Amino acid sequence: RGLKMNKKISVLLLLSTIGFASEYYAKVEPVSIYNVKSSVSGKVLYVNKDIESKNIKNDTIVKIDANVNKIDLKQSKIKLKGLKDILTIEKNTLNSFKKVSSKSRFDKDNQRIKILNVTSSISDLETKIATLNDLITNKTLKEQNKYIYNIAVEIGDYVNPGTLLYTAMDLTKGKLEIYIPISKANDIKTKTIYLNDVKTDLKISKLYTVSDTKHISSYKCEINIPTPKEFSSLKKIEFR
């Protein structure tokens, strides 16, 4: 008898988003789940394991080695300052050429070419500095007002672009996801939503109008709910 009861519960969970008439079941999920992946390469220097499975306000999660990038950035800034000084000198030289009648057009054109070359070098270096700043920023991963579900890397790991670093969740709201038969999709838009037989003021947050890849005869429907007391609980959803 106990085995039969367990089978019934398992079936209910497996069919948690399948509707019977206008009755559906869904598990309460976070409104958003973020699988944060690295956009850079490097060695992991810091992992804040203390905040795993906790809500955080403003914390650093992972740091990737950026020492070489910081040295490169410092030297690039020094080089940029030097190039700008050279540009000023070259421009002053051209102005002096214009005042001297003995300077030929060839001399002046050569001076203009020098100015163009230095200007181009400055532009390239400014692009490099912007790229380095972005790279360094992306090597320190922070989150605000999130729940850190899992940290997937350890100190000493070498990561590449696309490596999963951690999973964060937005628990400020809950989300119910169900699949509505296409034939009923228009009907439910004007109906009242009941949760566990209790009337609510909830509205459909999203109703996709392209059939789902797995549930090919249904549209995916999402309903956002206020911060639930607990996530992962099963809810009965009705449209009346």
Side-chain angles (χ1 to χ4, degrees), residues 21-149:
S22 291
E23 183 179 304
Y24 306 84
Y25 291 87
K27 188 171 66 171
V28 179
E29 301 283 2
V31 67
S32 296
I33 299 175
Y34 308 93
N35 290 313
V36 180
K37 298 179 180 181
S38 178
S39 61
V40 297
S41 298
K43 185 178 180 181
V44 177
L45 296 183
Y46 172 79
V47 176
N48 192 351
K49 284 288 186 178
D50 291 339
I51 60 174
E52 197 170 33
S53 76
K54 293 180 181 178
N55 285 298
I56 61 170
K57 290 185 177 181
N58 184 13
D59 288 273
T60 298
I61 317 299
V62 173
K63 283 185 180 179
I64 299 168
D65 187 8
N67 290 331
V68 173
N69 307 119
K70 289 177 180 179
I71 293 170
D72 194 2
L73 179 62
K74 182 179 178 180
Q75 295 302 317
S76 295
K77 287 180 177 179
I78 293 171
K79 187 176 180 180
L80 179 61
K81 184 181 182 303
L83 283 173
K84 286 183 175 180
D85 290 341
I86 291 171
L87 181 61
T88 299
I89 293 169
E90 297 294 2
K91 284 181 176 180
N92 290 336
T93 301
L94 178 60
N95 288 333
S96 66
F97 279 5
K98 291 176 181 178
K99 296 175 183 178
V100 179
S101 58
S102 61
K103 291 295 179 179
S104 66
R105 181 173 179 177
F106 177 79
D107 292 330
K108 294 174 184 177
D109 285 345
N110 277 342
Q111 190 59 30
R112 290 189 182 96
I113 290 171
K114 286 183 181 180
I115 291 171
L116 290 173
N117 287 336
V118 175
T119 301
S120 177
S121 296
I122 288 173
S123 178
D124 291 342
L125 200 52
E126 286 176 338
T127 300
K128 180 183 178 181
I129 288 171
T131 301
L132 284 169
N133 276 321
D134 187 59
L135 187 63
I136 292 167
T137 298
N138 287 334
K139 287 192 170 185
T140 298
L141 287 298
K142 294 183 177 183
E143 290 290 345
Q144 292 182 330
N145 302 317
K146 296 289 189 301
Y147 174 83
I148 305 304
Y149 177 74

Side-chain angles (χ1 to χ4, degrees), residues 167-183:
T167 300
M169 298 177 174
D170 182 352
L171 303 186
T172 56
K173 292 180 182 178
K175 180 176 71 174
L176 300 171
E177 188 176 283
I178 59 177
Y179 294 89
I180 306 293
I182 294 173
S183 60

Side-chain angles (χ1 to χ4, degrees), residues 150-163:
N150 175 60
I151 299 177
V153 291
E154 301 285 347
I155 293 174
D157 288 352
Y158 189 90
V159 298
N160 291 305
T163 301

